[in-house]
Amino acid sequence: MALDEYKPQKGGTEYDPEKTEFTFVGTRPDRPDGLDKVTGRAKFGADMSAPGMLHAAIVRSPHAHARIVKIDTSKAEAMKGVKAVVTRADFADDIPFKPGMGGELWNVLENVMAGEKALYDGHAVAAVAATSALEARDAAKLIEVEYEVLPHVTDVDKAMAPDAPVIRAGTRDRSVPEGFNENVVRYHESGHGDVESGFAEADLVIEDHFKTEATHQGYIEPHACLAMLGNDGKGELWCCTQGHWNVQKLCAALVGIEQSQLRVTASEIGGGFGGKTAVFIEPVALALSRKANRPVKLVMSRSEVFRATGPTASTSMDIKIGMKKDGTITAAQGTFRLQGGAFPGAPCEFTAMCAFAPYALENVHQVGYDVMTNRPKQAAYRAPGSPMAAFAVESVIDELCKQLDLDPIEVRLKNASKEGTKASYGPRFQRIGLVETLEAAKAHPHYSAPLKPGQGRGISCGFWFNHGGETSVTLAMSEDGSAQLMVGTPDIGGSRASMALMAAEELGIPYENIRVTIADTASLGYNEVSHGSRVTYASGLATIQAARDTVRKLKKRAADKWGIDEDAVYWEDGYAKPSGPNAGEFEPMHISKICAKMGATGGPIVGHYEATPEGAGVSFATHIVDAEVDPETGKTSVVRYTVVQDAGKAIHPTYVEGQYQGGAAQGIGWALNEEYIYGEDGRLQNSVFLDYRIPVASDLPMIDTVIVEVPNPGHPYGVRGVGETSICPPLAAIANAVSAAAGARLRELPMSPPRILAALEKQANG
Amino acid sequence: MSKIHVTTTVNGDEVEFLCDSRETLLDVLRDRLNLTGAKEGCGTGDCGACSVEVDGRLVCSCLMLGAEAEGKSIATVEGIAEGEELHPLQKKFIEYAALQCGICTPGILVAAKNLLERNPDPTETEVRYWLAGNLCRCTGYDKIIRAVMDTAKDMREAS
């Protein structure tokens, strides 16, 4: 979810409380693309080839901050097999620079290919296409770039200091108060009540400082694309992306062609988690292809993925919370400083707005700073901004509970946001399920299970807004009564199955009779990126509505055949039926019979739906973690993990569980191991998986899940997005477990062995 | 530069190819033999997405040169199913939703099959350590481990 898109969401398609019995929804069939994905024939980004295809490589800056004095491409161009070289001069020159997020297109271009300055280690400065991948890589080494190295900064607090080198003057927008370094480019402030009087009412006030390092989404598939662009301004692009219409829009603008003339097809996508919502290599491949007049394939190496794409913002946070002896929170205040690399856009407002959302507070105040540094442009990562806030806030609440000798779940229940609560970020909550997740966690055997010596238990709540967004779906009937469903949101984790289940539910035909296709940009109206946990909610809602549109048309054909009014026909289990004795006596007509005759009875039967649904229900989770800390090595093991989360309505419960487990696992990595490590020279020191270690199978326990279903009033079946909320509680839940196990509070992520040992030593020395 | 001529066996079929001395076995499989089932997730042997069997031994094909395949027998994910009949692991992975995005799945299936051929009755810990070289970012491994354990159980009962 991009920053400028958020608004309090209401309305949407009403939930039908009468609809509690489902035939297909809630079952667990095999996914429609299962066979392709277990046999190796599913085509991901790098799996496509074209006749006459060239391979490309990108030249990247080795400096964190440097003026580009000169780029000499002559040696590369003279090399045998080289067909094209591009630099910034080969991209659109009419995209304006504007302060803040207003110049986002300029920022995208500047990130895709550096202009006057290289802004981070790994920033693209030139690219080359040649007849083989090896030749392209050799040619890239022949491109000579002369740099004038500039002072750099990579830490958020240092970047805010008055004497820090300024990344780009003129970027800050008008929200930023006077007196800050120009690297502070956006400012957010929100809340209500009077926190000072709230703190005065408290029996205990704790104020603490927290830091989190940047982490990478860590999708296993590097960015990859295959591009063809002619000098007639018509192009074809195949790429792994979370949103191909967004790719179409951005690429067309960056290479200066009409949007509709670029057809983008989304490959199967090997993970995204928010990191594949932007463009990086796609415009470069298009520019190279235009110059060479041949198809160009461009695939990132893992090191390029780490250096130049995706990481989260890193943070520096101050939290102050006041609590009465009975557990009532009297006031809460947070300051959240986020660095998002050399561009504006770190989600400081999301961090601030999510921080205290689980709690009904009379006095709350939050401030966010978006800060630029010499690092890659941050990208969304699963509930962008929220997990860090939860880490800080839920750590302080845990400490308050400990010092006041209160049960952490009881305290959270006492203060929990409910329907009608004025949220810390402004609007009043509609129906939400936080209390239900806390009650389920309290009742779960995990919460009362005995701990072994050296182990500690932590809990945390988490919150995410969820999102709707522009959505377009088409459902076309075939003559045999089977259905082709076209959706525009790439299937990242089983969404074809959820869509087929919802279509089957409405049409009343078997799940297997529905073929779900992820349509290309030329075959469907605009679809927003698969982000904001929106797919099962928004594409699902559109699928239901497109199926209902189809059913209306099917009923009309039956009504015409029977010579009765279409209102006198109802639809049940795949049959058109006369609605009662007054409608007349007719044999129910099966969908296959209606479709067999559709050519002669009015033409093809196609249902569709286009909308921007705004009823994405917010979602909450509560996690329970048991951790064991080895005081000798500082290594932490997660020994038991339970996720409790509100799904609204689980369409395919197995894939909902999968989202819960995957979010928890990514959170475990973020909490314990993963971090961007920059050297004094501003270069990323751990740009391979060996050094940036994500959780492996032997690091993790089984991850237990509890699906709570409190219906979302904005979806016909009550669906809430489930993808993102699952990564919000783990950082804090693990930190609380580690603190309980180690007897020392960890305030900095990751809680890697050196940090744990330092905390233990500090504790021992008083 | 002249290329190297290599004769090898892939999924039971004899194949010949010419490759550059710098090309990895993974490059050859994907770009010369059009077997794109094995994936390149890292190119440094850390992620296991390119796992194949070479003479029955599990290897990262990104860490082996194409030229080294001379005279060897290579098995990839494309050869796991027998005709239209999926391997029990493939069936179980679909049934258990042991994949989300599916990019790590080919490598994990090759690795898991290799494990079960060596050890038909692995403990959970043995499965977790055997698959520790295969990164999955989507699932948290829970459903993968269950799928492998339950396949092993089914195969033991069937034999």
Side-chain angles (χ1 to χ4, degrees), chain B residues 69-108:
Chain B
E70 176 68 38
K72 301 271 198 283
S73 177
I74 317 284
T76 73
V77 68
E78 286 92 344
I80 291 183
E82 289 191 27
E84 64 174 355
E85 187 61 25
L86 293 181
H87 186 278
L89 276 166
Q90 292 174 308
K91 288 184 203 164
K92 196 69 85 181
F93 266 57
I94 298 174
E95 184 192 340
Y96 279 31
L99 56 142
Q100 285 179 29
C101 80
I103 193 84
C104 71
T105 310
I108 291 190

mmCIF file of all heavy atoms in Angstrom, chain B residues 69-108:
data_model
loop_
_atom_site.group_PDB
_atom_site.id
_atom_site.type_symbol
_atom_site.label_atom_id
_atom_site.label_comp_id
_atom_site.label_asym_id
_atom_site.label_seq_id
_atom_site.Cartn_x
_atom_site.Cartn_y
_atom_site.Cartn_z
ATOM 1 N N ALA B 69 29.571 -32.181 -15.793
ATOM 2 C CA ALA B 69 28.478 -33.158 -15.939
ATOM 3 C C ALA B 69 28.860 -34.305 -16.860
ATOM 4 O O ALA B 69 28.113 -35.284 -16.977
ATOM 5 C CB ALA B 69 27.223 -32.453 -16.458
ATOM 6 N N GLU B 70 29.999 -34.199 -17.522
ATOM 7 C CA GLU B 70 30.445 -35.246 -18.464
ATOM 8 C C GLU B 70 30.376 -36.638 -17.813
ATOM 9 O O GLU B 70 30.979 -36.870 -16.759
ATOM 10 C CB GLU B 70 31.888 -34.939 -18.913
ATOM 11 C CG GLU B 70 32.505 -35.991 -19.815
ATOM 12 C CD GLU B 70 31.843 -36.044 -21.184
ATOM 13 O OE1 GLU B 70 31.479 -34.977 -21.720
ATOM 14 O OE2 GLU B 70 31.669 -37.175 -21.713
ATOM 15 N N GLY B 71 29.613 -37.502 -18.445
ATOM 16 C CA GLY B 71 29.542 -38.882 -17.989
ATOM 17 C C GLY B 71 28.726 -39.117 -16.737
ATOM 18 O O GLY B 71 28.644 -40.246 -16.249
ATOM 19 N N LYS B 72 28.120 -38.063 -16.242
ATOM 20 C CA LYS B 72 27.344 -38.204 -15.001
ATOM 21 C C LYS B 72 25.866 -38.499 -15.317
ATOM 22 O O LYS B 72 25.419 -38.377 -16.454
ATOM 23 C CB LYS B 72 27.421 -36.914 -14.189
ATOM 24 C CG LYS B 72 28.838 -36.497 -13.787
ATOM 25 C CD LYS B 72 29.194 -37.130 -12.464
ATOM 26 C CE LYS B 72 30.367 -36.454 -11.801
ATOM 27 N NZ LYS B 72 31.664 -36.824 -12.403
ATOM 28 N N SER B 73 25.118 -38.814 -14.257
ATOM 29 C CA SER B 73 23.666 -38.966 -14.392
ATOM 30 C C SER B 73 22.992 -37.902 -13.520
ATOM 31 O O SER B 73 23.177 -37.889 -12.310
ATOM 32 C CB SER B 73 23.257 -40.370 -13.945
ATOM 33 O OG SER B 73 21.859 -40.486 -14.017
ATOM 34 N N ILE B 74 22.258 -37.021 -14.189
ATOM 35 C CA ILE B 74 21.639 -35.886 -13.501
ATOM 36 C C ILE B 74 20.143 -36.147 -13.360
ATOM 37 O O ILE B 74 19.507 -36.601 -14.316
ATOM 38 C CB ILE B 74 21.819 -34.583 -14.323
ATOM 39 C CG1 ILE B 74 23.239 -34.454 -14.892
ATOM 40 C CG2 ILE B 74 21.376 -33.362 -13.516
ATOM 41 C CD1 ILE B 74 24.301 -34.071 -13.948
ATOM 42 N N ALA B 75 19.596 -35.843 -12.188
ATOM 43 C CA ALA B 75 18.139 -35.949 -12.006
ATOM 44 C C ALA B 75 17.607 -34.615 -11.506
ATOM 45 O O ALA B 75 18.128 -34.056 -10.544
ATOM 46 C CB ALA B 75 17.802 -37.060 -11.010
ATOM 47 N N THR B 76 16.594 -34.106 -12.204
ATOM 48 C CA THR B 76 16.003 -32.810 -11.826
ATOM 49 C C THR B 76 14.537 -33.004 -11.449
ATOM 50 O O THR B 76 13.989 -34.096 -11.580
ATOM 51 C CB THR B 76 16.072 -31.813 -13.001
ATOM 52 O OG1 THR B 76 15.111 -32.210 -13.994
ATOM 53 C CG2 THR B 76 17.463 -31.782 -13.624
ATOM 54 N N VAL B 77 13.904 -31.920 -11.029
ATOM 55 C CA VAL B 77 12.499 -31.990 -10.625
ATOM 56 C C VAL B 77 11.617 -32.487 -11.772
ATOM 57 O O VAL B 77 10.614 -33.165 -11.535
ATOM 58 C CB VAL B 77 11.999 -30.616 -10.109
ATOM 59 C CG1 VAL B 77 11.935 -29.589 -11.244
ATOM 60 C CG2 VAL B 77 10.653 -30.742 -9.414
ATOM 61 N N GLU B 78 12.035 -32.191 -13.012
ATOM 62 C CA GLU B 78 11.209 -32.604 -14.155
ATOM 63 C C GLU B 78 11.132 -34.129 -14.273
ATOM 64 O O GLU B 78 10.246 -34.654 -14.945
ATOM 65 C CB GLU B 78 11.777 -32.014 -15.461
ATOM 66 C CG GLU B 78 11.523 -30.517 -15.650
ATOM 67 C CD GLU B 78 12.636 -29.627 -15.124
ATOM 68 O OE1 GLU B 78 13.483 -30.141 -14.339
ATOM 69 O OE2 GLU B 78 12.684 -28.434 -15.467
ATOM 70 N N GLY B 79 12.064 -34.826 -13.617
ATOM 71 C CA GLY B 79 12.075 -36.280 -13.734
ATOM 72 C C GLY B 79 11.492 -37.008 -12.532
ATOM 73 O O GLY B 79 11.549 -38.235 -12.460
ATOM 74 N N ILE B 80 10.918 -36.269 -11.603
ATOM 75 C CA ILE B 80 10.431 -36.919 -10.376
ATOM 76 C C ILE B 80 9.160 -37.730 -10.626
ATOM 77 O O ILE B 80 9.017 -38.854 -10.133
ATOM 78 C CB ILE B 80 10.201 -35.874 -9.255
ATOM 79 C CG1 ILE B 80 11.548 -35.325 -8.778
ATOM 80 C CG2 ILE B 80 9.448 -36.504 -8.084
ATOM 81 C CD1 ILE B 80 11.432 -34.350 -7.627
ATOM 82 N N ALA B 81 8.244 -37.169 -11.404
ATOM 83 C CA ALA B 81 7.004 -37.896 -11.694
ATOM 84 C C ALA B 81 7.297 -38.988 -12.717
ATOM 85 O O ALA B 81 8.199 -38.841 -13.541
ATOM 86 C CB ALA B 81 5.945 -36.950 -12.239
ATOM 87 N N GLU B 82 6.546 -40.090 -12.624
ATOM 88 C CA GLU B 82 6.697 -41.144 -13.628
ATOM 89 C C GLU B 82 5.504 -41.079 -14.564
ATOM 90 O O GLU B 82 4.405 -41.483 -14.213
ATOM 91 C CB GLU B 82 6.794 -42.505 -12.957
ATOM 92 C CG GLU B 82 8.124 -42.663 -12.229
ATOM 93 C CD GLU B 82 8.378 -44.082 -11.776
ATOM 94 O OE1 GLU B 82 7.847 -45.021 -12.403
ATOM 95 O OE2 GLU B 82 9.095 -44.250 -10.776
ATOM 96 N N GLY B 83 5.736 -40.523 -15.763
ATOM 97 C CA GLY B 83 4.612 -40.325 -16.671
ATOM 98 C C GLY B 83 3.608 -39.398 -16.025
ATOM 99 O O GLY B 83 3.983 -38.376 -15.461
ATOM 100 N N GLU B 84 2.341 -39.770 -16.064
ATOM 101 C CA GLU B 84 1.337 -38.894 -15.472
ATOM 102 C C GLU B 84 1.212 -39.114 -13.957
ATOM 103 O O GLU B 84 0.491 -38.396 -13.283
ATOM 104 C CB GLU B 84 -0.015 -39.091 -16.155
ATOM 105 C CG GLU B 84 -0.607 -40.480 -15.959
ATOM 106 C CD GLU B 84 -2.012 -40.590 -16.530
ATOM 107 O OE1 GLU B 84 -2.548 -39.570 -16.986
ATOM 108 O OE2 GLU B 84 -2.554 -41.695 -16.505
ATOM 109 N N GLU B 85 1.912 -40.111 -13.457
ATOM 110 C CA GLU B 85 1.803 -40.436 -12.030
ATOM 111 C C GLU B 85 2.792 -39.593 -11.211
ATOM 112 O O GLU B 85 4.011 -39.754 -11.331
ATOM 113 C CB GLU B 85 2.071 -41.931 -11.826
ATOM 114 C CG GLU B 85 1.840 -42.453 -10.416
ATOM 115 C CD GLU B 85 0.398 -42.301 -9.919
ATOM 116 O OE1 GLU B 85 -0.541 -42.242 -10.744
ATOM 117 O OE2 GLU B 85 0.234 -42.246 -8.690
ATOM 118 N N LEU B 86 2.267 -38.720 -10.382
ATOM 119 C CA LEU B 86 3.126 -37.893 -9.550
ATOM 120 C C LEU B 86 3.779 -38.745 -8.467
ATOM 121 O O LEU B 86 3.216 -39.748 -8.021
ATOM 122 C CB LEU B 86 2.315 -36.777 -8.878
ATOM 123 C CG LEU B 86 1.738 -35.690 -9.783
ATOM 124 C CD1 LEU B 86 0.988 -34.668 -8.937
ATOM 125 C CD2 LEU B 86 2.819 -35.017 -10.613
ATOM 126 N N HIS B 87 4.968 -38.320 -8.046
ATOM 127 C CA HIS B 87 5.639 -38.931 -6.897
ATOM 128 C C HIS B 87 4.804 -38.628 -5.652
ATOM 129 O O HIS B 87 4.176 -37.566 -5.563
ATOM 130 C CB HIS B 87 7.042 -38.335 -6.780
ATOM 131 C CG HIS B 87 7.887 -38.980 -5.727
ATOM 132 N ND1 HIS B 87 7.789 -38.635 -4.399
ATOM 133 C CD2 HIS B 87 8.844 -39.940 -5.812
ATOM 134 C CE1 HIS B 87 8.657 -39.366 -3.706
ATOM 135 N NE2 HIS B 87 9.309 -40.161 -4.540
ATOM 136 N N PRO B 88 4.778 -39.552 -4.676
ATOM 137 C CA PRO B 88 3.985 -39.292 -3.458
ATOM 138 C C PRO B 88 4.310 -37.947 -2.801
ATOM 139 O O PRO B 88 3.406 -37.303 -2.239
ATOM 140 C CB PRO B 88 4.378 -40.460 -2.545
ATOM 141 C CG PRO B 88 4.798 -41.562 -3.462
ATOM 142 C CD PRO B 88 5.376 -40.903 -4.669
ATOM 143 N N LEU B 89 5.566 -37.525 -2.875
ATOM 144 C CA LEU B 89 5.904 -36.213 -2.298
ATOM 145 C C LEU B 89 5.191 -35.083 -3.035
ATOM 146 O O LEU B 89 4.710 -34.129 -2.421
ATOM 147 C CB LEU B 89 7.424 -35.980 -2.383
ATOM 148 C CG LEU B 89 8.282 -36.564 -1.275
ATOM 149 C CD1 LEU B 89 9.756 -36.534 -1.701
ATOM 150 C CD2 LEU B 89 8.093 -35.830 0.050
ATOM 151 N N GLN B 90 5.130 -35.189 -4.349
ATOM 152 C CA GLN B 90 4.466 -34.137 -5.133
ATOM 153 C C GLN B 90 2.985 -34.044 -4.766
ATOM 154 O O GLN B 90 2.434 -32.956 -4.594
ATOM 155 C CB GLN B 90 4.633 -34.425 -6.631
ATOM 156 C CG GLN B 90 6.080 -34.281 -7.107
ATOM 157 C CD GLN B 90 6.265 -34.716 -8.547
ATOM 158 O OE1 GLN B 90 5.866 -35.824 -8.924
ATOM 159 N NE2 GLN B 90 6.873 -33.858 -9.364
ATOM 160 N N LYS B 91 2.369 -35.238 -4.665
ATOM 161 C CA LYS B 91 0.942 -35.252 -4.297
ATOM 162 C C LYS B 91 0.725 -34.638 -2.928
ATOM 163 O O LYS B 91 -0.188 -33.843 -2.700
ATOM 164 C CB LYS B 91 0.418 -36.691 -4.294
ATOM 165 C CG LYS B 91 0.267 -37.304 -5.661
ATOM 166 C CD LYS B 91 -0.370 -38.700 -5.508
ATOM 167 C CE LYS B 91 -0.038 -39.553 -6.709
ATOM 168 N NZ LYS B 91 -0.279 -40.980 -6.479
ATOM 169 N N LYS B 92 1.579 -35.028 -1.990
ATOM 170 C CA LYS B 92 1.411 -34.573 -0.604
ATOM 171 C C LYS B 92 1.671 -33.065 -0.490
ATOM 172 O O LYS B 92 1.009 -32.375 0.287
ATOM 173 C CB LYS B 92 2.358 -35.360 0.305
ATOM 174 C CG LYS B 92 2.033 -35.265 1.777
ATOM 175 C CD LYS B 92 0.747 -35.977 2.155
ATOM 176 C CE LYS B 92 0.973 -37.444 2.418
ATOM 177 N NZ LYS B 92 -0.282 -38.150 2.752
ATOM 178 N N PHE B 93 2.622 -32.571 -1.254
ATOM 179 C CA PHE B 93 2.895 -31.125 -1.207
ATOM 180 C C PHE B 93 1.667 -30.326 -1.663
ATOM 181 O O PHE B 93 1.352 -29.287 -1.093
ATOM 182 C CB PHE B 93 4.121 -30.774 -2.068
ATOM 183 C CG PHE B 93 5.408 -30.736 -1.273
ATOM 184 C CD1 PHE B 93 5.817 -31.854 -0.555
ATOM 185 C CD2 PHE B 93 6.192 -29.595 -1.227
ATOM 186 C CE1 PHE B 93 6.994 -31.833 0.195
ATOM 187 C CE2 PHE B 93 7.372 -29.555 -0.478
ATOM 188 C CZ PHE B 93 7.774 -30.679 0.230
ATOM 189 N N ILE B 94 0.993 -30.826 -2.676
ATOM 190 C CA ILE B 94 -0.228 -30.126 -3.129
ATOM 191 C C ILE B 94 -1.307 -30.244 -2.051
ATOM 192 O O ILE B 94 -1.930 -29.263 -1.662
ATOM 193 C CB ILE B 94 -0.736 -30.708 -4.470
ATOM 194 C CG1 ILE B 94 0.311 -30.523 -5.569
ATOM 195 C CG2 ILE B 94 -2.047 -30.041 -4.867
ATOM 196 C CD1 ILE B 94 -0.062 -31.206 -6.895
ATOM 197 N N GLU B 95 -1.499 -31.467 -1.567
ATOM 198 C CA GLU B 95 -2.575 -31.721 -0.592
ATOM 199 C C GLU B 95 -2.390 -30.886 0.678
ATOM 200 O O GLU B 95 -3.346 -30.364 1.242
ATOM 201 C CB GLU B 95 -2.596 -33.212 -0.251
ATOM 202 C CG GLU B 95 -3.728 -33.622 0.665
ATOM 203 C CD GLU B 95 -3.544 -35.049 1.222
ATOM 204 O OE1 GLU B 95 -2.766 -35.818 0.609
ATOM 205 O OE2 GLU B 95 -4.161 -35.360 2.249
ATOM 206 N N TYR B 96 -1.149 -30.774 1.147
ATOM 207 C CA TYR B 96 -0.881 -30.092 2.416
ATOM 208 C C TYR B 96 -0.641 -28.594 2.251
ATOM 209 O O TYR B 96 -0.348 -27.903 3.212
ATOM 210 C CB TYR B 96 0.354 -30.714 3.097
ATOM 211 C CG TYR B 96 0.080 -31.983 3.848
ATOM 212 C CD1 TYR B 96 -0.909 -32.864 3.441
ATOM 213 C CD2 TYR B 96 0.820 -32.320 4.979
ATOM 214 C CE1 TYR B 96 -1.141 -34.044 4.120
ATOM 215 C CE2 TYR B 96 0.588 -33.499 5.674
ATOM 216 C CZ TYR B 96 -0.388 -34.361 5.230
ATOM 217 O OH TYR B 96 -0.618 -35.532 5.915
ATOM 218 N N ALA B 97 -0.722 -28.100 1.022
ATOM 219 C CA ALA B 97 -0.376 -26.692 0.763
ATOM 220 C C ALA B 97 1.031 -26.402 1.302
ATOM 221 O O ALA B 97 1.273 -25.401 1.963
ATOM 222 C CB ALA B 97 -1.386 -25.740 1.382
ATOM 223 N N ALA B 98 1.955 -27.316 0.984
ATOM 224 C CA ALA B 98 3.331 -27.158 1.449
ATOM 225 C C ALA B 98 4.116 -26.207 0.551
ATOM 226 O O ALA B 98 5.336 -26.199 0.577
ATOM 227 C CB ALA B 98 4.015 -28.521 1.513
ATOM 228 N N LEU B 99 3.394 -25.457 -0.270
ATOM 229 C CA LEU B 99 4.018 -24.413 -1.071
ATOM 230 C C LEU B 99 3.067 -23.229 -1.115
ATOM 231 O O LEU B 99 1.856 -23.403 -1.094
ATOM 232 C CB LEU B 99 4.293 -24.891 -2.499
ATOM 233 C CG LEU B 99 3.099 -25.418 -3.292
ATOM 234 C CD1 LEU B 99 3.192 -24.986 -4.730
ATOM 235 C CD2 LEU B 99 3.031 -26.933 -3.193
ATOM 236 N N GLN B 100 3.640 -22.050 -1.145
ATOM 237 C CA GLN B 100 2.813 -20.859 -1.370
ATOM 238 C C GLN B 100 3.173 -20.272 -2.729
ATOM 239 O O GLN B 100 2.450 -20.429 -3.688
ATOM 240 C CB GLN B 100 2.980 -19.866 -0.231
ATOM 241 C CG GLN B 100 2.216 -20.337 1.022
ATOM 242 C CD GLN B 100 2.377 -19.404 2.191
ATOM 243 O OE1 GLN B 100 2.564 -18.212 2.064
ATOM 244 N NE2 GLN B 100 2.298 -19.957 3.387
ATOM 245 N N CYS B 101 4.349 -19.633 -2.827
ATOM 246 C CA CYS B 101 4.718 -19.098 -4.149
ATOM 247 C C CYS B 101 5.229 -20.204 -5.060
ATOM 248 O O CYS B 101 5.064 -20.139 -6.263
ATOM 249 C CB CYS B 101 5.731 -17.973 -4.023
ATOM 250 S SG CYS B 101 7.442 -18.490 -3.766
ATOM 251 N N GLY B 102 5.901 -21.203 -4.504
ATOM 252 C CA GLY B 102 6.325 -22.355 -5.300
ATOM 253 C C GLY B 102 7.725 -22.267 -5.889
ATOM 254 O O GLY B 102 8.158 -23.200 -6.562
ATOM 255 N N ILE B 103 8.464 -21.195 -5.624
ATOM 256 C CA ILE B 103 9.780 -21.068 -6.267
ATOM 257 C C ILE B 103 10.796 -22.026 -5.644
ATOM 258 O O ILE B 103 11.680 -22.539 -6.316
ATOM 259 C CB ILE B 103 10.294 -19.606 -6.208
ATOM 260 C CG1 ILE B 103 11.498 -19.403 -7.134
ATOM 261 C CG2 ILE B 103 10.686 -19.188 -4.787
ATOM 262 C CD1 ILE B 103 11.161 -19.118 -8.550
ATOM 263 N N CYS B 104 10.668 -22.316 -4.346
ATOM 264 C CA CYS B 104 11.609 -23.223 -3.686
ATOM 265 C C CYS B 104 11.206 -24.669 -3.847
ATOM 266 O O CYS B 104 11.973 -25.581 -3.543
ATOM 267 C CB CYS B 104 11.705 -22.888 -2.187
ATOM 268 S SG CYS B 104 10.223 -23.321 -1.246
ATOM 269 N N THR B 105 9.968 -24.902 -4.314
ATOM 270 C CA THR B 105 9.385 -26.241 -4.323
ATOM 271 C C THR B 105 10.198 -27.252 -5.135
ATOM 272 O O THR B 105 10.438 -28.370 -4.645
ATOM 273 C CB THR B 105 7.922 -26.175 -4.809
ATOM 274 O OG1 THR B 105 7.248 -25.147 -4.067
ATOM 275 C CG2 THR B 105 7.212 -27.489 -4.616
ATOM 276 N N PRO B 106 10.639 -26.929 -6.364
ATOM 277 C CA PRO B 106 11.424 -27.927 -7.098
ATOM 278 C C PRO B 106 12.646 -28.401 -6.319
ATOM 279 O O PRO B 106 12.896 -29.617 -6.241
ATOM 280 C CB PRO B 106 11.833 -27.170 -8.382
ATOM 281 C CG PRO B 106 10.758 -26.154 -8.574
ATOM 282 C CD PRO B 106 10.400 -25.713 -7.176
ATOM 283 N N GLY B 107 13.391 -27.474 -5.747
ATOM 284 C CA GLY B 107 14.589 -27.842 -4.985
ATOM 285 C C GLY B 107 14.248 -28.644 -3.753
ATOM 286 O O GLY B 107 14.940 -29.619 -3.398
ATOM 287 N N ILE B 108 13.188 -28.273 -3.079
ATOM 288 C CA ILE B 108 12.812 -28.987 -1.859
ATOM 289 C C ILE B 108 12.342 -30.406 -2.184
ATOM 290 O O ILE B 108 12.668 -31.361 -1.476
ATOM 291 C CB ILE B 108 11.754 -28.185 -1.065
ATOM 292 C CG1 ILE B 108 12.428 -26.931 -0.496
ATOM 293 C CG2 ILE B 108 11.112 -29.053 0.030
ATOM 294 C CD1 ILE B 108 11.623 -26.139 0.495
#
